[in-house]
């Protein structure tokens, strides 16, 4: 790496600098995560309980206590298409705000699917392929995860079935077309293809669906077919581990910038982009480094303000029980444009760290006016159009930068733009009245 | 630059390697371009004839015979947000095709507006700002150009009015919202805001509009307002010159790859992405280098197969006359998904080079089946979703690569992906039946 150079707009790394190992924070948690419980027996589950759903390598990673997990060369070969992603110094935004803060953003919108989600989708598709799985089922809400897995399955020659929350399926035809272009089969959830879907449709034929219901459908699909495993795009430990590419690159890029973050911000629904961005830095915080972490959430689903207890990951109570911050697995949540933030529970890893006081949270009102107005300031100064979820990260970062303007502090503020918003422009129109 | 390294997937340059000068091929044309003629007198026009429409610096650039034109630091400061753009070796596509050809693509979809268009939009906005213009008018068809200019005007604090071809305005609300998010005013063309628009609406109130009509409206807007100048996103010499960033970077990236293109391909409507990508290489061809250049066009507007003669750039005969390959400025053109290719004339620079036999052309059928099927092969192997226009470049490159498979030749094929297709997915759905 060249010497620190403070004058640049973007900090790029070479494709040789894509991490060769993922960081697994379980090795640094001091006391281990609470066990995952079987929904029937209430006892801790073993690998065989998860075998119908996941390939064995991912089950191992889920409970691994190894600090570093080798990234297979076949996975890095795909990541090379867009990784390392750039870290930007938001010089134009700083100027527009008139803040002494130094603002940086990592930009995951450069991936072909347009978000951070392919970081784990590619890994999951690879391990499934390696263990001779030929078909993967999953759910998607806003569509970012379904897009990522569809692409990953296309790369490894796997079939992919996506249960897409019905309201999204209807409102976002482009997302469906995108997944189908990569070769996936996409159905609106609740669907008549599963018992879980049928049950909901019997009670309410016009159900708009929810992420919880779609998870139930995808899990049932995998559990009842020999050729199929299930894939989840957030919440689980192995997902967050795969996402640490983001934070590991960011660490090197900050070396390159000759700075270090005082505040790290990202939006949080299930936790995959927040975790990927912050876990390598949270490890340093565990060891005493002074960094403030803020999860930007929606008041529609302020799960980090919920209870820290065991709960299901899905609506129909088919998944194991996870110890996490939760609003209750059947909680009603107001629809918002940042749909990816609308999930009842937070990943067990981040929940534990929150429980230990390492993660702050803010929940923005469901009218989303503040969030989209802040996002527009970013769009007009930095150019890039963020996904509605990423708009929450931006709003929080701008709020913090304006506090620095008041206090005169030149804090280093880093946030993650988890995806672009090209396919979500109706959010801008509705909220900003365009 | 590090030594040539053939094993990489992408060839990145540092932001310090953004060109400091644009390349102006007029210095290397041996005999000069035919003069631009006044539509009233039929005599060559002078700078003062163009002054109501363009800032003086752009008028100078339009006729400059200087080989290199300094890029202002303020322009490079904006380009830094996404330039240099990556050059990819399409290893996964090569493997999928089983071709011995080495396939490379330059990817302009990384710009915040999603295409190559900001390369000139930023420059044009800057020169207008510098000459105290406060408002710019323009037209847009598919929306890429309007998006780029809206963003550029946002960066330089200029008002922007976009006349958007009505059929696009209706079919692509996301594009409109995007432009408005950057602060532009967008109206459907033909509009009641201009005499040109009113005239068309009187004859046909349901006119779907056309690029030619929208140009007439935007030109009239600028010609009749003191505070406003006009901006064009293609065809003109200064536009192509600004786009040479693409080809200049590509030259350095090929040094890095340790290869040199045998065939260069890009789609061609007015000529801005084709010109930007190829002009620095066409200069080498003028001096004897053996490169084949292929313009991928639509049978809806195969302008390079038209006549080489003087014609208007717009529908209402308001623009000066340009010597170019043209289908006639009031030619009817079948609607296609690659709407940016649907223009009656080709840039004078490229027309002259075509006339001298340096540029080949192929026009794909208007059902676009072949084009989108080829694009899907690219999507499923390389991941990135190209704009419908860029799908033509891909189709042509794959066709050439398959010829190499038949002949056993390991040709180096380079093409330009001028933009992403996230906002144009209905093309994939309609043509591929998704």
């Amino acid at each position: 790496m060249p010497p620190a150079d403070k004058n640049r707009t973007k900090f790029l790394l070479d494709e040789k600098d894509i991490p060769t190992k993922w960081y697994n924070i379980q090795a640094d948690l001091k006391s281990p995560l609470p066990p995952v419980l079987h929904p029937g027996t209430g006892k801790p589950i073993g690998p065989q309980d998860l075998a119908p759903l996941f390939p064995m390598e991912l089950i191992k990673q889920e409970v691994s206590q190894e600090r570093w997990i080798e990234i297979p060369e076949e996975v890095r070969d795909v990541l090379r298409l867009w990784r390392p992603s750039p870290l930007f110094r938001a010089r134009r935004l700083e100027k527009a705000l008139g803040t002494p803060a130094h603002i940086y953003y990592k930009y995951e919108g450069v991936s072909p699917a347009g978000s951070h989600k392919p970081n784990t989708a590619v890994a999951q598709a690879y391990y499934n392929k390696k263990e001779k799985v030929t078909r993967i089922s999953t759910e998607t809400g806003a569509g970012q995860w379904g897009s990522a897995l569809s692409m990953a399955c296309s790369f490894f020659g796997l079939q992919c079935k996506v249960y897409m929350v019905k309201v999204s399926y209807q409102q976002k035809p482009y997302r469906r077309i995108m997944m189908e272009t990569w070769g996936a089969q996409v159905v609106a959830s609740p669907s008549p293809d599963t018992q879980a879907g049928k049950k909901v449709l019997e009670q309410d034929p016009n159900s708009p669906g929810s992420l919880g219901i779609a998870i139930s459908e995808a899990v049932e699909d995998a559990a009842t077919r020999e050729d199929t495993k299930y894939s989840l795009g957030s919440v689980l430990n192995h997902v967050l581990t795969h996402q640490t590419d983001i934070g590991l690159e960011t660490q090197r890029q900050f070396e390159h910038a000759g700075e270090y973050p005082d505040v790290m911000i990202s939006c949080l629904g299930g936790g995959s982009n927040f975790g990927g961005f912050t876990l390598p830095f949270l490890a340093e915080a565990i060891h005493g480094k002074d960094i403030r972490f803020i999860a930007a959430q929606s008041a529609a689903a302020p799960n980090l303000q919920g209870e820290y207890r065991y709960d299901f990951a899905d609506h129909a109570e088919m998944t194991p029980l996870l110890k996490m911050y939760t609003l209750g697995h059947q909680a009603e949540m107001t629809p918002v444009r940042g749909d990816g933030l609308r999930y009842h529970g937070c990943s067990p890893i981040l929940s534990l760290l929150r429980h230990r006081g390492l993660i702050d949270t803010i929940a923005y009102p469901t009218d989303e006016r503040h969030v989209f107005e802040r996002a527009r300031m970013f769009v007009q100064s930095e150019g890039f159009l963020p996904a509605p979820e990423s708009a929450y990260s931006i709003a929080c970062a701008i709020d913090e930068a304006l506090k620095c303007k008041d206090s005169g502090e030149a804090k280093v503020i880093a946030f993650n733009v988890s995806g672009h918003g090209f396919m979500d422009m109706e959010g801008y129109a509705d909220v900003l009245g365009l």
Side-chain angles (χ1 to χ4, degrees), chain A:
Chain A
M1 185 175 301
D5 173 0
K6 297 195 173 205
N7 293 321
R8 12 183 90 241
T9 293
K10 54 187 183 307
F11 299 86
L12 298 177
L13 300 172
D14 192 274
E15 67 184 57
K16 289 175 185 157
D17 298 324
I18 296 171
T20 54
K21 296 180 173 70
W22 291 301
Y23 169 63
N24 175 19
I25 200 166
Q26 292 188 71
D28 287 308
L29 288 180
K30 296 182 182 172
S31 63
L33 285 170
V36 174
L37 304 182
H38 191 285
T41 65
K43 299 259 164 68
I45 57 166
Q48 284 315 318
D49 294 310
L50 293 172
L53 293 186
F54 299 106
M56 202 43 73
E57 178 60 30
L58 292 177
I59 296 171
K60 279 187 203 158
Q61 290 181 10
E62 189 62 19
V63 295
S64 169
Q65 301 297 310
E66 296 295 320
R67 184 169 287 113
W68 297 102
I69 294 173
E70 196 83 34
I71 307 179
E73 204 42 53
E74 294 86 343
V75 171
R76 294 181 80 239
D77 250 5
V78 175
L79 298 181
R80 236 180 276 280
L81 287 169
W82 71 94
R83 298 214 76 84
S85 68
L87 177 75
F88 287 91
R89 170 86 183 265
R91 294 183 184 280
R92 305 178 63 84
L93 178 63
E94 289 172 18
K95 206 173 158 193
L97 297 175
T99 178
H102 293 193
I103 309 176
Y104 291 83
Y105 58 100
K106 181 80 169 164
Y107 186 45
E108 291 290 308
V110 294
S111 85
S115 79
H116 69 295
K117 294 288 187 187
N119 296 327
T120 183
V122 170
Q124 293 190 45
Y126 167 75
Y127 290 119
N128 273 287
K129 175 75 174 186
K130 207 178 161 199
E131 299 187 21
K132 316 267 188 239
V133 177
T134 58
R135 183 173 173 276
I136 301 184
S137 65
T138 198
E139 70 289 330
T140 200
Q144 297 275 23
W145 169 245
S147 303
L149 192 68
S150 300
M151 178 181 81
C153 285
S154 153
F155 287 160
F156 290 103
L158 298 166
Q159 290 178 271
C160 182
K161 172 136 181 198
V162 181
Y163 294 85
M164 185 173 189
V165 175
K166 193 188 276 172
V167 62
S168 274
Y169 184 92
Q170 289 166 338
Q171 284 176 1
K172 301 191 171 186
Y174 277 24
R175 279 282 173 198
R176 172 186 59 74
I177 300 165
M178 189 181 185
M179 293 185 260
E180 290 176 351
T181 302
W182 276 308
Q185 185 197 352
V186 186
V187 292
S189 166
S191 80
D193 298 6
T194 66
Q195 295 306 319
K198 278 181 196 159
K199 205 171 149 188
V200 177
L201 287 173
E202 274 163 26
Q203 288 167 3
D204 178 7
N206 297 318
S207 164
S210 74
L211 206 53
I213 295 168
I215 293 176
S216 298
E217 290 206 87
V219 168
E220 179 186 324
D221 182 315
T224 54
R225 282 182 63 147
E226 259 318 306
D227 61 348
T228 302
K229 300 253 184 237
Y230 169 70
S231 176
L232 189 66
S234 191
V235 179
L236 299 181
N237 305 338
H238 67 269
V239 174
L240 269 70
T241 297
H242 298 160
Q243 290 291 0
T244 57
D245 280 346
I246 306 172
L248 293 168
E249 289 174 9
T250 304
Q251 284 183 320
R252 296 204 61 181
Q253 287 164 318
F254 267 113
E255 283 172 35
H256 196 173
E259 302 219 71
Y260 194 85
D262 297 304
V263 187
M264 293 190 80
I265 293 162
S266 203
C267 60
L268 194 154
S272 80
N273 105 79
F274 186 95
F277 183 51
T278 61
L279 285 177
F281 292 89
L282 274 159
E284 303 195 30
I286 290 173
H287 295 106
K289 198 103 181 179
D290 183 23
I291 315 174
R292 187 169 168 228
F293 299 92
I294 314 176
Q297 299 203 286
S298 166
N303 55 44
L304 285 181
Q305 296 175 34
E307 289 180 70
Y308 186 50
R309 63 172 171 87
Y310 275 100
D311 197 7
F312 292 97
D314 74 326
H315 186 265
E317 310 187 349
M318 295 180 69
T319 68
L321 289 158
L322 305 173
K323 181 87 180 268
M324 59 184 177
Y325 276 91
T326 177
L327 303 165
H329 62 282
Q330 292 180 342
E332 297 283 332
M333 292 172 277
T334 310
V336 286
R337 295 296 167 179
D339 190 56
L341 306 185
R342 219 165 127 258
Y343 183 66
H344 67 275
C346 172
S347 98
I349 285 174
L350 296 173
S351 290
L352 180 64
L353 294 168
R354 159 79 171 157
H355 191 62
R356 294 199 190 152
L358 287 162
I359 300 171
D360 285 345
T361 178
I362 180 165
Y364 288 99
T366 55
D367 69 7
E368 298 180 286
R369 182 125 205 118
H370 182 75
V371 165
F372 276 90
E373 277 171 359
R374 292 294 197 228
R376 194 183 200 179
M377 293 171 74
F378 176 85
V379 172
Q380 294 194 344
S381 55
E382 295 291 316
F384 297 104
L385 274 155
E389 293 79 10
S390 308
Y392 285 73
S393 310
I394 291 167
C396 184
I398 292 180
D399 289 348
E400 291 297 312
L402 291 176
K403 284 181 204 163
C404 289
K405 186 178 182 178
D406 289 341
S407 67
E409 290 173 288
K411 281 188 186 168
V412 176
I413 298 170
F415 64 101
N416 189 36
V417 176
S418 56
H420 66 62
F422 292 120
M423 302 181 90
D424 307 281
M425 293 308 298
E426 81 283 356
Y428 287 83
D430 290 353
V431 178
L432 298 174
L434 302 178

